[in-house]
């Protein structure tokens, strides 16, 4: 018994040391806990020659909520938000091609191509009619999908979405138009801190070692994200002519202090939609489901309930 206790203590000490000294291991452990709390499991599916990674959880026969992340993000962005829905809904959050653990094809990353890949993903997984939720670039893709495939969408939620020309240009686009570097692309360790401050009013708390690890990963993706952003701009598809084709009830949810995509976008989008709802969250930035997941989930569930879902 004494030897067993010594061995157990030794193993626990070694595990703790590994987590302390290995930011990658600590990050993986945190994500594992977040997945378990959300009731999600990691999955993988082939779409032609592409390997797509995603999270899935909740009742298999329930209505599906499909969550689509934004630029330079991945499926992990939805974990704390998703935990509020897996008891009642079948929840899926994917890594778009080019992001997270999914393959990076040599082809295009414009929203039109990604919307077609999304249609293939939904068909391959036999998800049927879905509740679509998209943030930022993911909102642009979701909005385009809902317009082009209206019979496949039960409801649409756009969180700080791209795709329209805001009456008030955002700080992001003012910086880019003036020739400044894209603040969403990390080019140094210091850039990661600046990026967090740009996206959030109150960035989620992260241990220093984890923050350094995430900064390294972001820095390694610099060239790729520059290319994706270039394609998004050069092959831009405006949502203004697409929005009137959307049949589903649509939630426009925005942080009032979004520096990436200005809340005045709502003024353009709302009149073009058949069944719009609007929520503006005070003192919140560009990714409400990350910055204030519980509050965002309450707003979204209220929207689903009001829509008869």
């Amino acid at each position: 018994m004494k030897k067993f206790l010594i061995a157990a203590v030794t193993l626990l000490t070694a595990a703790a040391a590994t987590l302390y000294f290995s930011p990658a291991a600590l990050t993986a452990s945190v994500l594992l806990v977040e997945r378990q709390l959300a009731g999600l499991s990691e999955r993988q599916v082939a779409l032609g020659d592409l390997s797509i990674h995603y999270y899935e959880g909740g009742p298999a026969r329930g209505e599906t909520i499909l969550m689509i992340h934004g630029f330079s993000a991945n499926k992990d962005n939805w974990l704390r938000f998703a935990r509020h829905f897996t008891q009642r809904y079948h929840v899926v959050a994917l890594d778009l091609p080019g992001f997270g653990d999914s393959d990076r094809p040599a082809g295009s990353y414009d929203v039109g191509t990604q919307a077609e890949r999304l249609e293939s993903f939904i068909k391959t997984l036999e998800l049927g009619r879905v509740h679509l939720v998209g943030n930022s670039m993911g909102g642009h893709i979701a909005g385009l999908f809902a317009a082009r495939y209206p019979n496949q969408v039960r409801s649409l939620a756009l969180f700080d979405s791209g795709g329209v020309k805001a009456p008030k240009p955002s700080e992001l686009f003012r910086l880019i138009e003036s020739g400044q570097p894209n603040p969403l692309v990390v080019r140094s360790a210091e850039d990661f801190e600046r990026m967090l401050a740009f996206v959030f009013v109150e960035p989620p708390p992260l241990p220093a070692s984890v923050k350094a690890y995430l900064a390294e990963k972001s820095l390694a993706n610099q060239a790729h994200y520059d290319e994706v952003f270039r394609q998004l701009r050069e092959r831009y598809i405006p949502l203004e002519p697409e929005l009137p084709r959307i049949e589903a009830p649509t939630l426009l949810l925005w942080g009032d202090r979004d520096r990436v995509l200005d809340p005045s976008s709502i003024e353009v989008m709302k009149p073009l939609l058949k069944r719009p709802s609007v929520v503006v969250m005070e003192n919140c930035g560009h990714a409400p489901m990350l910055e204030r997941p519980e509050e965002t989930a309450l707003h979204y569930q209220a929207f689903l309930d009001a829509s008869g879902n």
Side-chain angles (χ1 to χ4, degrees):
M1 183 65 180
K2 184 177 179 181
K3 289 182 179 179
F4 172 78
L5 289 174
I6 292 173
V9 170
T10 301
L11 286 172
L12 289 172
T13 302
T18 299
L19 292 177
Y20 181 80
F21 290 108
S22 171
L26 178 56
T27 303
S29 297
V30 170
L31 289 176
L32 174 61
V33 172
E34 293 287 357
R35 286 198 302 272
Q36 290 175 336
L37 289 172
L40 296 172
S41 300
E42 290 187 280
R43 300 279 190 266
Q44 185 177 350
V45 67
L47 299 183
D49 59 353
L50 294 180
S51 175
I52 304 300
H53 291 246
Y54 62 99
Y55 291 144
E56 183 176 32
R61 296 186 179 182
E63 294 180 2
T64 297
I65 298 176
L66 177 55
M67 303 175 181
I68 310 169
H69 63 78
F71 174 76
S72 76
N74 58 52
K75 62 187 180 298
D76 295 333
N77 280 27
W78 298 105
L79 285 172
R80 293 189 176 182
F81 175 80
R83 72 171 66 170
H84 300 282
F85 300 98
T86 45
Q87 289 296 315
R88 178 174 172 184
Y89 298 93
H90 176 224
V91 174
V92 176
L94 82 159
D95 281 335
L96 290 165
F99 299 91
D101 297 317
S102 290
D103 282 348
R104 294 184 174 183
S108 179
Y109 293 101
D110 65 83
V111 294
T113 301
Q114 295 286 42
E116 296 306 311
R117 291 168 176 156
L118 182 65
E119 197 273 338
S120 178
F121 178 79
I122 291 171
K123 186 177 294 184
T124 300
L125 266 61
E126 299 181 347
L127 298 180
R129 295 177 67 228
V130 299
H131 300 284
L132 273 186
V133 187
N135 172 236
S136 191
M137 177 193 73
H140 194 169
I141 295 166
L144 190 62
F145 181 92
R148 294 183 175 180
Y149 301 95
N151 294 331
Q152 296 188 35
V153 181
R154 293 179 182 272
S155 73
L156 175 65
L158 306 177
F159 295 175
D160 299 68
S161 177
V164 300
K165 186 175 181 180
K168 180 182 177 183
S170 70
E171 185 176 346
L172 170 69
F173 286 100
R174 294 199 305 271
L175 288 170
I176 290 173
E177 291 300 324
S178 68
Q180 299 296 311
N182 184 346
L184 302 181
V185 176
V186 173
R187 304 175 194 282
S188 68
E190 295 75 19
D191 271 355
F192 189 74
E193 290 281 1
R194 286 192 287 269
M195 184 270 289
L196 291 178
F198 195 85
V199 171
F200 301 102
V201 175
E202 293 186 13
L206 293 171
S209 59
V210 170
K211 194 177 293 186
Y213 172 70
L214 294 176
E216 286 180 12
K217 290 192 68 176
S218 296
L219 186 59
N221 285 316
Q222 174 195 331
H224 175 65
Y225 289 155
D226 277 336
E227 172 60 17
V228 172
F229 198 80
R230 182 190 66 79
Q231 292 189 26
L232 289 172
R233 298 194 74 198
E234 292 183 359
R235 304 174 190 177
Y236 180 75
I237 300 176
L239 278 186
E240 284 91 341
E242 305 283 350
L243 294 175
R245 298 164 56 191
I246 296 174
E247 299 292 338
T250 302
L251 172 65
L252 305 175
L253 185 145
W254 235 275
D256 69 342
R257 293 174 62 183
D258 188 347
R259 300 164 67 186
V260 178
L261 295 167
D262 195 80
S264 64
S265 298
I266 294 170
E267 300 170 21
V268 177
M269 302 174 85
K270 184 180 178 182
L272 297 174
L273 291 162
K274 290 183 173 69
R275 302 167 66 186
S277 300
V278 174
V279 172
V280 178
M281 293 174 57
E282 294 184 0
N283 297 314
C284 188
H286 182 61
M289 73 287 180
L290 266 172
E291 188 165 352
R292 302 226 291 271
E294 184 173 1
E295 181 183 347
T296 306
L298 288 172
H299 288 307
Y300 181 55
Q301 185 64 68
F303 161 72
L304 290 176
D305 292 341
S307 303
N309 295 300

